[in-house]
Amino acid sequence: MIDATVESAGVAEPTVPTETQGSIVEEVFYANCSEAREAGAAPIYAGDPGYSSKLDRDGDGVACE
């Protein structure tokens, strides 16, 4: 994505980024399954925010089962 700027009176003003397909992507990280459970996020499925293969011991696509 390229940030365009508008020059007015010699001052550059950054444009506001638009949302992609109406949603904002949030990055979530859990250090371990205990942390994910405390946040109420377990189980975490592959593709869900916070999923990590490190948390998926048996490799079935479901972490912190």
Side-chain angles (χ1 to χ4, degrees):
M1 177 154 90
I2 299 172
D3 287 340
T5 58
V6 177
E7 302 242 356
S8 72
V11 178
E13 296 178 22
T15 58
V16 177
T18 57
E19 293 180 1
T20 305
Q21 298 178 356
S23 64
I24 297 173
V25 178
E26 238 181 84
E27 289 189 36
V28 179
F29 172 79
Y30 299 109
N32 52 48
C33 286
S34 295
E35 190 175 292
R37 286 186 191 99
E38 288 175 14
I44 308 168
Y45 298 92
D48 287 350
Y51 176 85
S52 168
S53 60
K54 181 184 103 174
L55 302 175
D56 186 3
R57 294 175 126 188
D58 59 4
D60 65 352
V62 183
C64 304
E65 341 179 33

